[in-house]
Each structure stands twice: as C-alpha cells, then as structure tokens.
Amino acid sequence: MTNDALISALSQLVSEGRNPDTMDIDLLSSHEIIERINQQDKQVPLAVEKVLPEIAQAVDKITEAFRKGARLIYMGAGTSGRLGVLDASECPPTFGVSDQMVVGLIAGGPEAILKAKEGAEDSPELGENDLKDIHFTKNDVLVGIAASGRTPYVIGGLEYANDIGATSIALSCNPDSPIADIAKIAISPVVGPEALTGSTRLKSGTAQKLVLNMLTTASMIRIGKSYQNLMVDVKATNEKLVARAARIVMQATDCEKHQAVSTLRETNYEVKLAILMILTDLDIDTAKLQLSKQQGFLRKAVEINTEL
C-alpha cells in the first residue's frame, strides 16, 4: 500500500479519529489529564457489552476445540500481539493447562514483545508462515487481534486459517474492518477515538484485554476448570500459589487450614482432588477415578458422590 493510500485508509478508522473531548489535553494539569483519560475509559465496558453475542459465539467454538484437544491461537502485532501473548501466558498457572493449549504469536517473534520490530506487521506471508511453523490445523481456533482491523500480518493468518477450514475470529475496534470481513466470527467493540489520537494501547487495548479475558476464562470454565467460582486447577508452583491452593480448598469445603494443607500434600497439591476427598470422604484412588469419569468436572463428581 502506498503512503497516500495508507493515510487515506487510516483517516477512515474510528480509532484514528481526533477525540473532541480531549483537544485541550496538553493544557491540563496532571489530575485533569488522568480525569479525561478515566472518562474515556468508562466507555470501554459499554462497548464490549454490545458485542457479547459474538464473544459468546467465539467461546463456544473455542470450548469445542479444547474438548477435541485442539488449541487457541492468538495473533497480532504491537500492543495487540502483546496482549495475546499475555493472555496465553497466564493460562497455564491459572488453569493448570499446557503452555501449548493457548499460544500467542506476535509479528516479529518473541523479541517484539519487548521492542518493536519495524515492518514485521506489514507482511501477510509472515502471518501465514508463523501459523505453519506451529503446525496450525483445521481443528485449532485462530483469533486475529488488530485494533485497526487492517494489519497485514493478521490478515495473512486469518486467510490461511480460512483456507484450511479452521475457525477464524477477528478482534478489532473498528466496525466493518478488513479482518472482520475475512473472519468467520467478528468481535468489534467500538470504543471511539482515543484520548491521545491514534494511541490504541489506551481504550482499544483495554477493550481487547477485556475480550481476551472473557474468551479464555469462559472457555476454561466450560471445560471444567472451575468449581463454583474457584480456580480449582491452579498449579501451586510457588509459595503464593501454595497458600492460594490451601485457601481455595478451605473456601470450597469450609474445612480448617490443617486439613486443607494435609490433604493437599496427600494429593501432591491437586486442588480438585483435595476438595473432592474432603467433601465426599473418598480415598485418593477412588476420588481420582470419579474425577476422571466426570471429565474433570468437580461439581458433577461432588454431586454424584454425595448422593450415594
């Protein structure tokens, strides 16, 4: 795309427009500046609320993929790419899943997480090649993230996903964007012009983070990674998480701390197993079998074994 064409394309984007509420932001005090930013941020959850049906549709597809042993892949450039990598990296400790279950790809590779790599986002071929490098298949789900909705790297990835018959999802902050037209599911929360023109790490980035939180959290809940509203598949890999695991067991069972800790030690800190044993008085081997029969859904295992 020529420079003139790019300028013309950017001028059509809602996220690149000038915000009439912040035209004097360079004249304000520190408190007044952050007050204006805060006022703009309040619009974000309302914009996300309007696209909840599309988010739910995406969650259903991701859940279906997880149940088949397939993956969720995020793909983006710059802030969008970093947000995808962040959400993916938080899934293993939060939900006790493999680091290959949710994968974040960023234009320019891991180095681009800390330092921008010029030109990497301009190549649709790079997007396709990055998916091929991780052996992306038709059973996987791709979420292409781009605030502008026109990043070539993301477009290349989404087109490749479509070509092989995979589920393609677009997340942008501009209506009728190129990636929304390409993807099978389009999630487009429109948050309006940024407080600082074109700085899409602000409202657009916040909206993207909220949506990504929903995609993984809801999908993990749907495959049994919670009991009530507790993170029962958390991995106790450090002292804070060991303490959190004990607290979760205590909250789920109303047991005393010493019982939670001793049962966790017996289960090698498998929180689900410890909760099931305490609530049902099952021994460890029987509890493991019952959890397995319920595909890891703790609530189902508890209900069945307390009815007997």
Side-chain angles (χ1 to χ4, degrees):
M1 183 178 288
T2 67
N3 193 50
D4 287 346
L6 181 56
I7 290 173
S8 177
L10 291 175
S11 68
Q12 305 302 314
L13 300 179
V14 173
S15 60
E16 296 290 332
R18 296 192 71 184
N19 193 318
D21 296 331
T22 59
M23 295 291 283
D24 62 345
I25 199 166
D26 59 330
L27 301 175
L28 304 181
S29 68
S30 296
H31 188 275
E32 289 170 330
I33 290 171
I34 62 175
E35 189 174 50
R36 293 286 180 91
I37 293 173
N38 180 245
Q39 288 170 353
Q40 292 299 309
D41 286 343
K42 290 176 184 178
Q43 301 173 20
V44 177
L46 298 177
V48 172
E49 182 180 23
K50 293 179 181 179
V51 295
L52 290 180
E54 290 81 7
I55 297 172
Q57 188 180 359
V59 168
D60 286 342
K61 289 295 185 181
I62 295 166
T63 301
E64 182 182 332
F66 285 166
R67 286 175 176 161
K68 293 178 179 178
R71 301 169 295 173
L72 167 62
I73 310 299
Y74 290 137
M75 168 174 279
T79 296
S80 297
R82 293 183 190 99
L83 289 169
V85 171
L86 172 63
D87 195 66
S89 68
E90 291 177 339
C91 287
T94 305
F95 301 110
V97 297
S98 163
D99 61 6
Q100 297 303 306
M101 188 171 176
V102 183
V103 177
L105 298 177
I106 182 169
E111 292 180 4
I113 297 172
L114 299 176
K115 185 177 180 181
K117 296 197 73 172
E118 302 299 332
E121 68 176 67
D122 295 330
S123 171
E125 293 78 16
L126 182 58
E128 178 177 336
N129 291 336
D130 280 357
L131 289 178
K132 289 179 178 177
D133 286 344
I134 63 166
H135 308 292
F136 183 81
T137 76
K138 66 178 182 180
N139 295 320
D140 296 324
V141 174
L142 177 65
V143 177
I145 315 166
S148 67
R150 55 157 303 280
T151 305
Y153 174 77
V154 176
I155 289 173
L158 289 170
E159 289 179 336
Y160 177 69
N162 286 344
D163 287 344
I164 67 172
T167 297
S168 58
I169 300 168
L171 173 55
S172 73
C173 293
N174 284 283
D176 305 317
S177 68
I179 66 170
D181 289 339
I182 293 168
K184 295 174 182 176
I185 300 172
I187 302 170
S188 306
V190 181
V191 298
E194 299 289 358
L196 194 63
T197 305
S199 184
T200 51
R201 68 188 184 89
L202 298 175
K203 287 191 296 184
S204 295
T206 302
Q208 289 173 333
K209 182 69 169 72
L210 292 178
V211 173
L212 298 180
N213 284 347
M214 291 179 179
L215 292 180
T216 45
T217 303
S219 298
M220 293 294 179
I221 291 171
R222 292 289 311 281
I223 63 171
K225 295 295 181 179
S226 72
Y227 174 67
Q228 299 169 354
N229 61 351
L230 298 171
M231 299 187 298
V232 290
D233 264 325
V234 64
K235 291 300 181 186
T237 55
N238 58 41
E239 288 186 11
K240 181 190 78 172
L241 293 177
V242 167
R244 177 171 289 168
R247 179 168 166 75
I248 289 171
V249 173
M250 293 167 66
Q251 289 173 315
T253 65
D254 291 326
C255 74
E256 298 296 328
K257 177 183 174 182
H258 68 87
Q259 185 179 10
V261 171
S262 63
T263 309
L264 279 168
R265 286 174 179 163
E266 184 181 355
T267 64
N268 196 26
Y269 291 91
E270 290 190 34
V271 176
K272 274 184 180 176
L273 200 53
I275 293 171
L276 183 58
M277 290 171 64
I278 292 172
L279 289 179
T280 63
D281 290 325
L282 295 174
D283 62 71
I284 188 168
D285 291 331
T286 306
K288 284 181 179 178
L289 179 62
Q290 292 301 315
L291 264 181
S292 177
K293 284 183 177 180
Q294 301 307 321
Q295 290 81 48
F297 280 83
L298 178 56
R299 186 185 284 271
K300 291 180 182 178
V302 169
E303 290 175 350
I304 288 173
N305 288 279
T306 53
E307 291 172 359
L308 298 178

